Amino acid sequence: MRAMSGDDVLKAVDGCLAALGPVAGRDWEGVRAAGLEWSCRETVEHIAGDLIAYAGQLAGRPQDSYVPFEIRLDDGTDNAGLLDVVRATGALLDAAVRATPPHVRAFHPYPFRSADRQGFAAMGVAEVVLHTHDVTRALGVEYTPEDGLAEAVLGWLFPHVQPGPAAWPTLLWATGRGELPGRAPVTEWRWRNNLVIPAERIDLVGLRPVVARDIRLGGDGGLDWIEGGPYEGTREAAGFLVKAYEGGVHRPEFGVFALVRKEDGRAVGGIGFHSAPDEDGRVEIGYDLVEGARGQGYITEAVRALADWALARDDVHALFATVERENTASQAVLGRAGFTRVSEEDGSGAELAYELRR
């Protein structure tokens, strides 16, 4: 699995410095960065500002806003000095990523108001490589980020974007910076950190496509599972998520979630949607638990949390689930979560259907 790390931030920064260092003696203030309203100088200052801001979020861990500070350069700082600031702020973000536990999240506004350490690392890399592109294009300098960085950014921040034949052109297209054969131009865009839905004892942690792919292939997705996990249902669901992503129809908020205990950060199961809601606002859910976590109420808690989140949306009017007739434990879970049996009573069919309406 290609996880995002502080090393990726440093690689991105090194590539930026290698491209811009040789032209630090040129006028950056009088040249507008390609596609932006900022000058090349302002764009590089923005890179440094974002790197230190992301480091501050991970260090301060605010949940509702940015840490209230800004970076300010000393009067008379030249372009070479500005690049030293980029190097320093990149190192600070690298250190913050390394020091932050995997389950910790801090505020970021889009789209679900939080990000984890890998999300902040990915955002830092994105800011560096994309804005380095903007500056080098304006200055007539050749630049391509190090192999693997664009692919990692797409996998961690653009789960809604169908992969293209090459990662760097796809990332440029996805951020309105280029064309991609067979796809319409992008005029508005946002990246997407993964969704986490809190419950009482567990968090429902949305799986990014790169994580889902690793789980489907027999890995752990970078999660600390209790013995026996992930269970077969979670692996199968992860495979469906990957197919949707590769087909360009994945909606991250209606994906698959790992159930992670708050007390120790260990994953105990999975839950998620089979697809996005249909035209009537109905959506099917499924779930499973590692055997060692059963009988402790985790799934009931997870189903309630997922149902509350989904039914609070305008595009969801009903949830339904199907359960094998002999699986009385799962039927009891749905009953405790407020679902009503809607299948016929004649005993036909191998499964029973349950529904929960708004």
Side-chain angles (χ1 to χ4, degrees):
M1 182 184 67
R2 178 65 164 86
M4 293 297 302
S5 69
D7 284 337
D8 293 308
V9 176
L10 298 181
K11 290 176 184 177
V13 168
D14 286 345
C16 169
L17 301 180
L20 296 181
V23 294
R26 291 172 56 178
D27 176 21
W28 290 3
E29 191 64 53
V31 180
R32 194 173 76 176
L36 303 178
E37 297 297 324
W38 301 325
S39 69
C40 289
R41 168 82 178 198
E42 290 170 325
T43 303
V44 179
E45 290 181 7
H46 175 79
I47 292 173
D50 277 342
L51 291 172
I52 192 63
Y54 295 157
Q57 292 304 96
L58 284 176
R61 303 176 188 178
Q63 299 301 304
D64 299 309
S65 64
Y66 282 109
V67 176
F69 76 97
E70 292 184 0
I71 190 172
R72 185 182 67 81
L73 303 181
D74 289 343
D75 292 341
T77 300
D78 60 10
N79 293 340
L82 174 55
L83 292 179
D84 286 339
V85 176
V86 171
R87 185 190 304 276
T89 53
L92 290 172
L93 178 54
D94 165 49
V97 170
R98 294 176 188 274
T100 303
H103 64 279
V104 168
R105 299 182 74 86
F107 173 81
H108 188 274
Y110 193 81
F112 304 119
R113 298 184 61 80
S114 73
D116 59 11
R117 64 181 185 182
Q118 291 174 317
F120 279 109
M123 289 188 289
V125 171
E127 294 285 355
V128 174
V129 300
L130 291 171
H131 288 315
T132 300
H133 163 82
D134 300 335
V135 173
T136 54
R137 185 180 172 194
L139 297 175
V141 176
E142 292 293 326
Y143 170 72
T144 302
E146 182 173 322
D147 287 346
L149 289 180
E151 182 180 9
V153 169
L154 285 169
W156 289 90
L157 293 181
F158 292 84
H160 53 296
V161 172
Q162 184 179 18
W168 180 230
T170 301
L171 181 59
L172 292 177
W173 167 81
T175 57
R177 289 172 165 83
E179 297 181 354
L180 208 60
R183 302 195 193 185
V186 173
T187 57
E188 294 183 3
W189 63 274
R190 290 278 191 176
W191 58 46
R192 289 174 173 265
N193 282 291
N194 64 329
L195 171 63
V196 172
I197 301 173
E200 183 180 350
R201 295 173 297 157
I202 56 173
D203 285 324
L204 283 61
V205 179
L207 300 185
R208 300 169 169 101
V210 64
V211 172
R213 181 181 289 113
D214 184 67
I215 289 176
R216 183 67 187 98
L217 294 176
D220 58 16
L223 295 163
D224 181 17
W225 293 85
I226 66 171
E227 185 177 356
Y231 206 63
E232 57 189 34
T234 300
R235 294 196 187 278
E236 183 178 9
F240 292 139
L241 186 158
V242 172
K243 288 182 179 179
Y245 169 62
E246 293 174 345
V249 295
H250 176 49
R251 288 182 59 182
E253 65 270 39
F254 290 105
V256 180
F257 302 80
L259 307 183
V260 179
R261 289 192 304 219
K262 294 181 179 182
E263 63 175 306
D264 58 6
R266 305 198 71 188
V268 298
I271 192 170
F273 301 95
H274 287 205
S275 65
D278 62 21
E279 61 273 13
D280 296 321
R282 298 179 75 245
V283 60
E284 184 175 3
I285 67 169
Y287 47 83
D288 73 1
L289 270 182
V290 180
E291 289 186 5
R294 295 176 185 175
Q296 301 176 52
Y298 291 130
I299 279 294
T300 300
E301 190 176 317
V303 172
R304 286 172 174 162
L306 191 68
D308 288 346
W309 177 86
L311 292 174
R313 297 174 57 93
D314 293 337
D315 55 353
V316 178
H317 298 285
L319 279 72
F320 72 96
T322 57
V323 184
E324 295 178 353
R325 288 183 175 272
E326 62 270 22
N327 191 348
T328 56
S330 186
Q331 294 168 36
V333 164
L334 293 172
R336 288 193 294 269
F339 283 68
T340 301
R341 178 174 163 178
V342 294
S343 55
E344 297 295 331
E345 298 287 347
D346 60 5
S348 61
E351 294 182 330
L352 301 174
Y354 286 77
E355 185 178 61
L356 177 64
R357 302 192 64 84
R358 183 183 298 175

